[in-house]
Every structure is written in structure tokens, then in C-alpha cells.
């Protein structure tokens, strides 16, 4: 199956700092989503972004499909941003998830 | 609109027992998916329903797992008998059409002791 790599695997930020999370994938895809798994285990959809750039508040995402990567930007981080961020791609029917970036924002 | 609803949110059972997880997709979403994340590993696909039909069940780990979606509405995932390695978080997702974005439920955390 398709390989999805996320970096960095772990990230610790001071509250207010900015960060960039990266997702590389090994094959062409027609769907890409970013998810946030909060400390309670809930998987929250952040962006549906097979290509281009989207912004939602302090979060934005860019996918360059031709170069097979996507970036998630978090600005002015808050403690509530803590959790695991997953990138998931879908070349066909099912999603393939990366192993996630575990983010801890400290006050 | 109501989101994808899963229950229970958490289940603790003994090895060898049976557990049934339920997922209510967003109304009108024909596509329903089950995924799971076992401890420390990535989230993996289990199966995909289109209405009441199993479109793809290539991710089901073994015959101890049985998924149903009678009437094309809610779905159940039964594990019988449960083993220790089944512990993890089971997610359900739905989408209106295959190439649309998914909406995930909150997951069911299953602990087998």
C-alpha cells in the first residue's frame, strides 16, 4: 500500500509558538485529510485538502499533490492544540494514515 | 447536522467475552467505514459499507470480527471472542460519496483484560 510519513514524530512547543507539520506520501492520491486526535481520543477533522491551501483560524494547510506532500501550519499555539495530528491519504477507497505527530503545548 | 455517533465510548471486557460496537453515521451518508488504532500503531482500515453492502472488507483482521449494516443505516462491529491484542480505539466514519471528505466519530476505546 501507499506509504505515509509524518514529521516530526514528536514536538514540544511553548504556548504562543508557531509550528509546521509535514506529511509525505509515496503515490498519487485523490483525497488527503488532516485530523487531530485530542487527549480524549476523539478524531477531529481539520482539513479536507487534496490540493491547494486552506485556512481555518490559527490553522492552515497546503498540499502540493504533484510533489506528494502536505503541510499543516499551527500559529500562536495553545495548550488545547495538544494531541496527535494525523495525515491520511486515499489513493482509492480506503484511507492510509501516517503514524502521527504528537504535539505537546506547554503553558 | 448531527455528527457520526459511536457507542459505547469506552468498553472494558475480559478476554474471551463478546463486545458489540455501534456506529450511527450522518444521516444520508451511504458510505460507512470502520478503522482502528491498536496501541502504539497507526490507524488502519477495517472495512467499508456502501449502504448495506460490504464494499471492501480487506482490512478485517480475522473471523472473530463481524460487521453488519442492516438497512443501510447504523452499523455494528462485533468481536467474538475478544483477545488482548484487540485492545485499541475503534473509529467509524461516514461520507456522502466516496471521493468526499470523511467525518469520523469519537471512537470506542476497547480494553480487553
Amino acid at each position: 500500500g501507499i506509504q505515509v510519513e509524518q514529521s516530526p514524530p514528536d514536538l514540544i512547543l511553548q504556548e504562543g509558538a508557531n509550528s509546521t507539520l509535514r506529511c509525505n506520501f509515496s503515490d498519487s492520491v485523490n483525497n488527503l485529510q488532516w485530523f487531530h486526535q485530542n487527549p480524549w481520543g476523539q478524531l477531529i477533522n481539520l482539513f479536507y485538502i487534496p490540493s491547494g491551501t486552506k485556512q481555518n483560524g490559527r490553522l492552515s494547510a497546503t498540499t502540493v499533490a504533484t510533489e506528494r506532500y502536505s503541510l499543516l501550519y499551527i500559529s500562536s499555539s495553545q495548550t488545547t492544540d495538544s494531541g496527535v495530528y494525523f495525515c491520511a491519504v486515499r489513493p482509492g477507497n480506503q484511507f492510509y494514515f501516517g503514524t502521527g505527530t504528537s504535539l505537546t503545548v506547554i503553558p | 447536522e448531527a455528527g457520526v455517533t459511536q457507542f459505547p465510548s469506552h468498553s472494558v471486557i475480559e478476554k474471551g467475552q463478546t463486545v458489540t460496537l455501534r456506529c450511527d453515521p450522518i444521516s444520508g451518508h451511504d458510505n460507512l467505514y470502520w478503522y482502528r488504532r491498536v496501541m502504539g500503531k497507526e490507524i488502519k482500515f477495517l472495512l467499508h459499507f456502501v449502504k448495506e453492502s460490504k464494499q471492501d472488507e480487506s482490512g478485517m483482521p480475522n473471523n472473530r470480527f463481524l460487521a453488519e449494516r442492516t438497512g443501510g443505516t447504523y452499523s455494528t462491529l462485533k468481536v467474538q471472542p475478544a483477545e488482548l491484542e484487540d485492545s485499541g480505539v475503534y473509529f467509524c466514519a461516514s461520507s456522502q460519496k466516496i471521493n468526499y471528505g470523511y467525518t469520523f466519530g469519537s471512537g470506542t476505546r476497547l480494553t480487553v483484560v
Side-chain angles (χ1 to χ4, degrees), chain A residues 30-31 33 35 37 39-45 48 84 86 90 92-99, chain B residues 33 35 37 42-45 48 55-56 58 89 91 95 97-102 104-106 109:
Chain A
N30 55 34
N31 193 332
Q33 286 184 243
F35 298 92
Q37 187 177 27
W40 296 270
Q42 295 174 313
L43 203 59
I44 309 298
N45 179 45
Y48 166 64
V84 183
F86 290 101
R90 190 166 67 192
N93 181 46
Q94 62 173 277
F95 266 118
Y96 291 85
F97 281 80
T99 50
Chain B
Y33 308 82
Y35 285 77
R37 186 184 190 202
E42 66 268 28
I43 300 172
K44 284 198 171 180
F45 169 82
H48 169 211
Q55 182 78 10
D56 181 355
S58 61
V89 182
F91 294 102
S95 68
K97 295 183 180 181
I98 286 181
N99 287 328
Y100 283 24
Y102 282 21
F104 274 82
S106 303
R109 182 175 294 278

Side-chain angles (χ1 to χ4, degrees), chain A:
Chain A
I2 191 169
Q3 302 300 309
V4 183
E5 296 180 352
Q6 290 186 242
S7 60
D10 299 282
L11 185 59
I12 299 175
L13 295 177
Q14 196 77 41
E15 195 169 28
N18 304 327
S19 64
T20 301
L21 281 56
R22 187 177 178 101
C23 172
N24 292 334
F25 43 96
S26 61
D27 207 344
S28 300
V29 298
N30 55 34
N31 193 332
L32 185 147
Q33 286 184 243
W34 282 95
F35 298 92
H36 175 219
Q37 187 177 27
N38 63 24
W40 296 270
Q42 295 174 313
L43 203 59
I44 309 298
N45 179 45
L46 298 176
F47 293 102
Y48 166 64
I49 186 164
S51 63
T53 297
K54 289 186 178 179
Q55 180 154 8
N56 184 4
R58 296 182 295 102
L59 303 181
S60 64
T62 296
T63 297
V64 183
T66 53
E67 297 186 24
R68 299 178 185 170
Y69 73 89
S70 183
L71 302 174
L72 177 69
Y73 305 95
I74 303 174
S75 64
S76 303
S77 58
Q78 300 176 358
T79 55
T80 52
D81 295 332
S82 296
V84 183
Y85 289 79
F86 290 101
C87 165
V89 301
R90 190 166 67 192
N93 181 46
Q94 62 173 277
F95 266 118
Y96 291 85
F97 281 80
T99 50
T101 291
S102 178
L103 174 64
T104 303
V105 181
I106 55 178

Side-chain angles (χ1 to χ4, degrees), chain B residues 33-51:
Chain B
Y33 308 82
W34 284 97
Y35 285 77
R36 74 171 181 175
R37 186 184 190 202
V38 294
M39 293 308 166
K41 298 190 176 181
E42 66 268 28
I43 300 172
K44 284 198 171 180
F45 169 82
L46 294 178
L47 87 160
H48 169 211
F49 284 99
V50 177
K51 297 184 180 178

Side-chain angles (χ1 to χ4, degrees), chain B residues 6-58:
Chain B
Q6 292 187 246
F7 36 91
S9 57
H10 193 184
S11 179
V12 181
I13 62 171
E14 293 185 349
K15 176 182 172 181
Q17 289 186 322
T18 298
V19 63
T20 300
L21 315 180
R22 173 168 168 152
C23 169
D24 285 64
I26 292 174
S27 178
H29 282 194
D30 288 341
N31 295 277
L32 186 149
Y33 308 82
W34 284 97
Y35 285 77
R36 74 171 181 175
R37 186 184 190 202
V38 294
M39 293 308 166
K41 298 190 176 181
E42 66 268 28
I43 300 172
K44 284 198 171 180
F45 169 82
L46 294 178
L47 87 160
H48 169 211
F49 284 99
V50 177
K51 297 184 180 178
E52 67 275 10
S53 300
K54 292 177 184 175
Q55 182 78 10
D56 181 355
E57 51 184 332
S58 61

